Amino acid sequence: MHSDVLIVGAGSAGSVLAERLSADSRCHVTVVEAGPGPADPQVLLQVRDGLRLPIGAASSVVRRYPTTLTMSPQRHAQLTRGAVVGGSGAVNGGYFCRGLPTDFDGWTLPGWTWSDVLPHFRAIETDLDFDTPVHGSNGPISVRRVAEFDGCTASFVTAATAAGYPWIPDLNGSTAEDPLPDGVGAVPLNIDGGTRVGPGGAFLQPAMSRANLTVLTSHQAGRILVDKGRAIGVDCVGPNGVVRLTADRIVVCAGAIGSAHLLMLSGIGPEGALRTAGIPVHAALPVGVACADHPEWVLPVNWSASSGVPPLEAVLTTADGLELRPYTAGFGAMVSGRRDDPADRPHIGVTLMRPRSRGRVTVVSADPGVAPVIEHRYDSEPDDVAQLRAGTELAHELVRTTTDVGPVSWSTSQHLCGTAPMGGEDDDTAVVDPQCRVRGVDGLWVIDGSVLPTITSRGPHATIVMIGHRAAEFVSG
């Protein structure tokens, strides 16, 4: 099968990109997705319920990867990624905060300033709470905030405001000219009436009836075919065996882990790691060598769990780049939806939003079935650890009169990004150029969270959706 554009991955960016490109009826677009599609009622049930995370042991819509959070001592964890149309945006908690204007302006990349990206943030959303020039009113993704809090969220917000932190009505209201102060505010959520409105359902599914759009679910991409310096196709394994798909333009949208792994399996990555894994080198590029995530320390509290609410309703941001998150229930309740286990307690997450630490994603085998090795290395920067400790002390000060706080533990926000970062012509850390084209390989783009040059100061999901919308014009040419 030959297409004008072949997109690998129907996740948060790939779903948007597929809809945008296939809007031109002259452009035949094929999307390859390793996970299932929405036709299965059980799949739809899992991804639509915005009040729980469908990532438990029985989930059929995720893939899990082991990682090492810290090196001394080694602390291990599991990363969970959506393996379904919609990707991780179909299984997350609905947090839809934008990156800040300073994030984008700080990249100093042509086409990615705040003024460049704001129209695309507006285009992807309909904000049901705010009708201002910085918000969208006609986009496919509904965004709203919880108006009244109870349980642990109410306790946390009351404690934060009593400590002098101002209430921020709109955490997505920052502009370059008028940046938001630090304070506590309701999280913008892509959850409407309890339903998760992810990019797969909002963008891709309505477009799937287009004659020029083909979506192949349950097809795992194993290798990009490169001939004479040009990407010409992708070998996949589907329900009926090996399938070779060719295209004039190939776009990898498989997420920060999946995209990096596929590039390296295809001979695009660090030369030493590729040769050690027995993979011929087509383009020696720093794929996966300096990725980032938001480190998080978790503090259990004995507040009463809230029922019938999203996992996270409000956050406190500080001038030190911390985000304190009062989760409305324990992890078990978030996954199962049940809130009747007294041992499954709500918790506060203390998260560093501008970390210095950098991790690695490394290919170890030419076999696509062998996962890459992931190391977050959160303890590689002493200043990061010191800031997390200070944030934990702040959390104790805020809530100590209202609840008992349990022992702290290391965790991660599951926001891995930057495995194939964008950069300028003279940036030797870059894998793609400012138009998301892979250096040294013609006809190949990466468009997803992999390309973030630095991690955003808010969770990256809304930014990744915006990237899919913004970069569509780079591929359409």
mmCIF file of all heavy atoms in Angstrom, residues 47 96 146 153 247 250 259 264 267 340 413:
data_model
loop_
_atom_site.group_PDB
_atom_site.id
_atom_site.type_symbol
_atom_site.label_atom_id
_atom_site.label_comp_id
_atom_site.label_asym_id
_atom_site.label_seq_id
_atom_site.Cartn_x
_atom_site.Cartn_y
_atom_site.Cartn_z
ATOM 1 N N VAL A 47 -11.771 4.185 27.543
ATOM 2 C CA VAL A 47 -11.151 5.466 27.232
ATOM 3 C C VAL A 47 -12.096 6.644 27.432
ATOM 4 O O VAL A 47 -11.631 7.783 27.555
ATOM 5 C CB VAL A 47 -10.593 5.485 25.789
ATOM 6 C CG1 VAL A 47 -9.584 4.374 25.594
ATOM 7 C CG2 VAL A 47 -11.703 5.394 24.753
ATOM 8 N N PHE A 96 -5.155 19.425 31.223
ATOM 9 C CA PHE A 96 -4.981 20.049 29.914
ATOM 10 C C PHE A 96 -4.433 21.465 30.054
ATOM 11 O O PHE A 96 -4.871 22.393 29.390
ATOM 12 C CB PHE A 96 -6.310 20.042 29.150
ATOM 13 C CG PHE A 96 -6.142 19.958 27.652
ATOM 14 C CD1 PHE A 96 -5.697 18.792 27.051
ATOM 15 C CD2 PHE A 96 -6.439 21.042 26.841
ATOM 16 C CE1 PHE A 96 -5.552 18.711 25.671
ATOM 17 C CE2 PHE A 96 -6.297 20.975 25.462
ATOM 18 C CZ PHE A 96 -5.854 19.799 24.872
ATOM 19 N N VAL A 146 -13.393 22.278 37.300
ATOM 20 C CA VAL A 146 -14.337 21.988 38.378
ATOM 21 C C VAL A 146 -14.648 23.292 39.101
ATOM 22 O O VAL A 146 -13.735 24.023 39.499
ATOM 23 C CB VAL A 146 -13.758 20.936 39.337
ATOM 24 C CG1 VAL A 146 -14.691 20.720 40.523
ATOM 25 C CG2 VAL A 146 -13.519 19.615 38.598
ATOM 26 N N THR A 153 -9.597 18.038 47.818
ATOM 27 C CA THR A 153 -9.296 19.241 47.030
ATOM 28 C C THR A 153 -9.700 20.495 47.789
ATOM 29 O O THR A 153 -8.944 21.484 47.836
ATOM 30 C CB THR A 153 -10.016 19.201 45.671
ATOM 31 O OG1 THR A 153 -9.678 17.996 44.990
ATOM 32 C CG2 THR A 153 -9.606 20.384 44.823
ATOM 33 N N ALA A 247 5.385 5.300 1.330
ATOM 34 C CA ALA A 247 4.781 6.632 1.289
ATOM 35 C C ALA A 247 5.793 7.647 0.802
ATOM 36 O O ALA A 247 7.017 7.437 0.901
ATOM 37 C CB ALA A 247 4.262 7.032 2.667
ATOM 38 N N ILE A 250 6.828 10.295 5.498
ATOM 39 C CA ILE A 250 6.601 9.440 6.668
ATOM 40 C C ILE A 250 6.757 10.282 7.922
ATOM 41 O O ILE A 250 7.755 11.009 8.086
ATOM 42 C CB ILE A 250 7.581 8.250 6.690
ATOM 43 C CG1 ILE A 250 7.343 7.363 5.459
ATOM 44 C CG2 ILE A 250 7.427 7.436 7.976
ATOM 45 C CD1 ILE A 250 8.366 6.283 5.268
ATOM 46 N N SER A 259 8.593 6.528 19.499
ATOM 47 C CA SER A 259 9.258 7.173 18.365
ATOM 48 C C SER A 259 10.764 7.004 18.435
ATOM 49 O O SER A 259 11.416 6.692 17.438
ATOM 50 C CB SER A 259 8.889 8.662 18.316
ATOM 51 O OG SER A 259 7.536 8.838 17.968
ATOM 52 N N MET A 264 15.678 4.347 16.383
ATOM 53 C CA MET A 264 16.914 3.603 16.633
ATOM 54 C C MET A 264 16.884 2.229 15.977
ATOM 55 O O MET A 264 17.901 1.772 15.425
ATOM 56 C CB MET A 264 17.161 3.515 18.139
ATOM 57 C CG MET A 264 17.531 4.858 18.758
ATOM 58 S SD MET A 264 18.003 4.813 20.508
ATOM 59 C CE MET A 264 16.402 4.598 21.301
ATOM 60 N N GLY A 267 18.087 2.468 12.487
ATOM 61 C CA GLY A 267 19.436 2.943 12.214
ATOM 62 C C GLY A 267 19.611 4.434 12.329
ATOM 63 O O GLY A 267 20.569 5.002 11.784
ATOM 64 N N ASP A 340 -13.812 2.721 48.035
ATOM 65 C CA ASP A 340 -14.248 2.156 49.308
ATOM 66 C C ASP A 340 -13.143 1.417 50.057
ATOM 67 O O ASP A 340 -13.409 0.695 51.010
ATOM 68 C CB ASP A 340 -15.437 1.219 49.089
ATOM 69 C CG ASP A 340 -15.131 0.118 48.065
ATOM 70 O OD1 ASP A 340 -13.992 0.090 47.542
ATOM 71 O OD2 ASP A 340 -16.030 -0.692 47.793
ATOM 72 N N SER A 413 5.875 11.801 36.956
ATOM 73 C CA SER A 413 4.628 12.309 36.409
ATOM 74 C C SER A 413 4.227 11.612 35.111
ATOM 75 O O SER A 413 3.189 11.935 34.540
ATOM 76 C CB SER A 413 4.749 13.815 36.154
ATOM 77 O OG SER A 413 4.959 14.518 37.347
#
